[in-house]
Amino acid sequence: MPTSQKVGVNLLIYPLFAFIRRTFPFILDTMQTSKLKKSSVARLPSKLPLALAKEVLLIEAREVEALANRLDDSFTRAVDLILQCRGRVVVSGMGKSGHIGGKIASTLASTGTPAFFMHPGEASHGDLGMLTSDDVVIALSTSGESDELLAIVPFLKRMGTQIISISGNPASALAQESDIHLDAQVSQEACPLGLSPTASTTAMLALGDALAVTVLDLRGFTALAARLTPHEV
């Protein structure tokens, strides 16, 4: 096609394209989405599903085993602090650490230790009023640098509430400000992109279970006591 004809065609196409974009934007969006879907379907997975699933489970199992081998006197002191607590154990954390914290609080509550979860964001907006100096706070943060948790630490200290932190960074601000720090760091996340906490949240959860079961045993919590409160089947 001669250059003059190409220029003429372009002069017709570009205004038409701009008109469609302004008038019917969803048409182009749909076309682009369809292209993305086709390209993603055509792309083969890097690993077979079962092989990848096994790798995820093995990574997380190795990290929990490493955590067990790394337990030290800090864990014993955390257990003693919970046993001596005259108030409640208040668990707090943001994001996925917060979801793990909710499960830890529930496990403690169902095994003889009064406990509940407090959202750190809501704590700064009045929920700190639920705490007393007799309580113990378990603060969870993978990085140990969660702004929402660090924001309430000064209030907890002024109140006299003792803090047990669980994080993957012993040198973090949260670890340094806590009365007791439990190291839950992992060498590798199971997420191949490193975007989502996987092995680290599993390590946190396992450490919370270890605390709850150890406290249960030392408290002398029995099956009879368990039957006095509603439990899941």
Side-chain angles (χ1 to χ4, degrees), residues 95-137:
K96 294 174 181 62
S97 295
H99 293 301
I100 297 299
K103 194 275 179 186
I104 292 173
S106 178
T107 299
L108 286 167
S110 65
T111 52
T113 299
F116 65 89
F117 177 79
M118 177 184 68
H119 192 287
E122 298 296 338
S124 297
H125 293 272
D127 280 6
L128 277 173
M130 296 187 290
L131 273 65
T132 71
S133 58
D134 290 331
D135 297 331
V136 170
V137 168

Side-chain angles (χ1 to χ4, degrees), residues 6 14 38 47 63 66 69 77 83-84 104 107 121 138 158 162 175 209-211 214 226-227:
K6 287 183 180 179
Y14 291 153
K38 287 180 181 178
K47 295 181 181 178
E63 295 297 344
N69 294 330
R77 292 190 294 117
L83 285 170
Q84 295 166 15
I104 292 173
T107 299
I138 299 178
R158 284 203 295 270
Q162 292 186 286
D209 284 343
L211 279 173
T214 304
R227 285 198 294 271

Side-chain angles (χ1 to χ4, degrees), residues 6 16 24 33 43-44 46 48 52 54 74 78 99 112 115-116 136 140 159 174 183 201 216:
K6 287 183 180 179
L16 178 61
F24 307 105
T33 302
R43 188 171 60 249
L44 293 174
S46 58
L48 294 176
L52 182 56
K54 289 178 182 178
S74 295
H99 293 301
F116 65 89
V136 170
L140 287 80
M159 198 182 304
L174 181 62
D183 182 6
T201 47
L216 172 155

